[in-house]
Amino acid sequence: MCADRFSLSVEEYLTKKHVLFYIEDCVTQVLEHKEEYTQFGILRFLSEYFNSVKKGNHILFREFSFVRATPHNRSSFLHMFWRCFRQIGKNGDLLSMMEYASLLQLICPDFPEDVVQKAARIVLMDDAMDCPMSFSDFLYAFQIQFYYEEFLESTAVIYQDLLSGKCPNTVIVPTSSSVEQRPRLVSTDTVAHEGVDSFVFCNCVEGLCERFKYSFPPVHWVKEILGNVQRISFYSFLMALAKHEEINSNIGSLPSKAEVLIDPEMDKELEKLIAQISLSQASNSSNSTTTGHKEPIRKASPKKALHHRRRIEVESDGSTEETDSSEN
C-alpha cells in the first residue's frame, strides 16, 4: 500500500495514482471485446485487468499513447523491455539504434523511432548515431529519456535560452529562494564552447520543478549533479542523469547497473522452457528412430496394393474393356 495513502484526500489520491484513467480503460476494453469477455464474467475480467496493472503486464502490445499515459505505465514498459531482452546484454551483443527501435516495437508496435533516437544520442553524444551500443548503456539512457520525457524537453528549452544569452521564464518563480542570487550570464561565445554555467542552470531547473506537473528527478540529486562542475553541456547533464544510481532507484523500473544482467526468476523460467524443448526434441528423435526400422517394410507395399486394387476393380466390373485396351 502507498505510504502516503492516508495523507491525501480522495481526489488527490485518485489523481496521483491515475485510478480513473485505468477504470476508463478497463470499461473501454470490456465494450470493445464484449463477446469475448462476457462469457467469462465481468467480475473475473475486472479482477484480471487490475491484477495485470499491478504486475505491470497491462502494457504489452498496447498503443504508444497508452504506454506513455502514466508514470506507472512507463515504469512497467521499461521493466518489461529489460526482462524481455536482458539476454542481449548477457550475450554481450552490440546493437544499433534501429535495432533497439525494432525490439521496442515488438512490445509496442507503434513505438516512435524519434524517442529511441534521443536515447541513443545520450549515449553517442550525437557523434555517430549509427554506432552500435551495449544493452546496458542504451537501457539506462532510454529510461531517462522515456520516463522523464517532458522534463527533459523543458530543460532543453532552458538550456538553449541560457546558451543564447536569454533569461528563461522559468527563473522568475516567486517561491524560488535562489533566484536573487543568480550571477550574470557570460558571453554567448564562451557559452557555446563550454556549455552553460551550472549554477544558473541549476537555479532555472529548480524553478521549473517547483511548478512542474509531470515527473522529474528529485531536485536534490539534480543539484548534486550540477554542483560538481562549474559549466555543463546539455548532453553531459543527460548522461549524468542516466548514470545516477539513486535516480535509477527512485524510478524503480530497473535494477542497479551491477545487477542489470541478473534476473533469477526469469532464468528459472528459461531453464524450464529449455528443459521442455530438450525433452520434446528427445521424444521426437526417439519416435523417428523407432519408425525408421519399419520404413523398408512399408516401401514395398504401395505397388502391390495398387496392383491388387486394379485387379479387384477389373474383376468386379464384369467387363474386359479395360483389359482389351491395356493389351492394345
Side-chain angles (χ1 to χ4, degrees):
M1 183 176 291
C2 181
D4 59 353
R5 166 66 182 90
F6 298 103
S7 64
L8 302 173
S9 66
V10 174
E11 291 76 12
E12 290 173 337
Y13 179 80
L14 293 176
T15 300
K16 182 176 181 180
K17 298 301 179 182
H18 304 275
V19 175
L20 297 181
F21 169 82
Y22 291 113
I23 292 177
E24 181 180 350
D25 180 66
C26 180
V27 173
T28 301
Q29 294 297 310
V30 171
L31 294 177
E32 289 182 354
H33 307 280
K34 186 176 181 180
E35 294 181 358
E36 178 181 351
Y37 293 136
T38 51
Q39 60 180 328
F40 299 107
I42 298 298
L43 292 179
R44 178 179 173 182
F45 170 73
L46 293 174
S47 174
E48 291 181 353
Y49 176 86
F50 285 101
N51 191 40
S52 69
V53 171
K54 181 180 179 181
K55 292 181 177 180
N57 301 327
H58 64 299
I59 46 79
L60 270 175
F61 314 123
R62 293 296 301 269
E63 62 278 7
F64 179 69
S65 59
F66 178 82
V67 168
R68 70 189 295 268
T70 69
H72 176 66
N73 284 10
R74 297 188 190 194
S75 177
S76 299
F77 184 82
L78 288 164
H79 185 74
M80 185 64 67
F81 176 70
W82 165 68
R83 292 201 73 189
C84 288
F85 304 110
R86 172 183 60 96
Q87 200 65 26
I88 293 175
K90 202 169 183 179
N91 293 338
D93 297 332
L94 301 178
L95 302 183
S96 66
M97 183 271 294
M98 292 303 299
E99 288 173 321
Y100 282 114
S102 298
L103 293 180
L104 289 163
Q105 289 169 357
L106 290 176
I107 306 175
C108 174
D110 65 335
F111 199 94
E113 293 180 1
D114 66 304
V115 178
V116 188
Q117 188 176 24
K118 291 175 182 178
R121 188 174 288 118
I122 298 176
V123 179
L124 302 173
M125 303 296 284
D126 215 15
D127 292 333
M129 293 299 292
D130 57 343
C131 288
M133 297 167 281
S134 71
F135 181 74
S136 178
D137 287 344
F138 175 80
L139 180 65
Y140 290 99
F142 174 67
Q143 174 181 237
I144 290 296
Q145 179 60 50
F146 181 57
Y147 193 81
Y148 293 128
E149 180 182 8
E150 295 83 2
F151 171 76
L152 298 186
E153 289 176 353
S154 297
T155 52
V157 173
I158 293 174
Y159 181 86
Q160 290 299 324
D161 284 347
L162 292 176
L163 198 63
S164 61
K166 297 179 181 178
C167 184
N169 293 331
T170 51
V171 176
I172 309 174
V173 182
T175 56
S176 178
S177 59
S178 55
V179 171
E180 296 180 359
Q181 302 173 2
R182 184 179 73 255
R184 296 181 62 183
L185 298 176
V186 297
S187 66
T188 306
D189 293 338
T190 304
V191 169
H193 292 288
E194 302 179 10
V196 299
D197 185 281
S198 297
F199 182 77
V200 178
F201 186 49
C202 182
N203 287 339
C204 295
V205 173
E206 184 180 2
L208 169 70
C209 293
E210 288 177 353
R211 59 191 182 95
F212 203 60
K213 64 178 182 178
Y214 298 100
S215 299
F216 56 87
V219 176
H220 61 279
W221 285 327
V222 174
K223 294 172 71 173
E224 176 187 285
I225 291 172
L226 296 175
N228 292 330
V229 292
Q230 291 184 344
R231 308 190 67 79
I232 193 168
S233 68
F234 188 65
Y235 287 116
S236 296
F237 175 64
L238 296 182
M239 180 60 77
L241 291 175
K243 291 183 176 181
H244 203 282
E245 286 288 350
E246 284 77 10
I247 292 178
N248 170 64
S249 178
N250 184 71
I251 295 174
S253 305
L254 305 176
S256 65
K257 292 187 177 181
E259 300 177 347
V260 69
L261 304 181
I262 303 174
D263 187 1
E265 183 180 348
M266 179 62 75
D267 287 339
K268 288 182 180 179
E269 294 178 5
L270 288 174
E271 288 174 2
K272 290 180 181 178
L273 180 61
I274 293 172
Q276 291 174 357
I277 294 174
S278 300
L279 183 62
S280 176
Q281 290 176 342
S283 177
N284 291 337
S285 176
S286 176
N287 291 336
S288 63
T289 304
T290 304
T291 56
H293 293 299
K294 298 180 180 180
E295 193 65 27
I297 301 175
R298 293 179 178 177
K299 283 184 177 179
S301 61
K303 289 186 178 180
K304 184 176 180 180
L306 181 62
H307 177 68
H308 182 65
R309 180 183 175 186
R310 185 179 180 84
R311 289 185 61 186
I312 292 175
E313 290 175 350
V314 171
E315 291 173 0
S316 64
D317 184 62
S319 171
T320 59
E321 182 179 352
E322 185 175 349
T323 307
D324 294 340
S325 62
S326 61
E327 291 176 354
N328 294 334

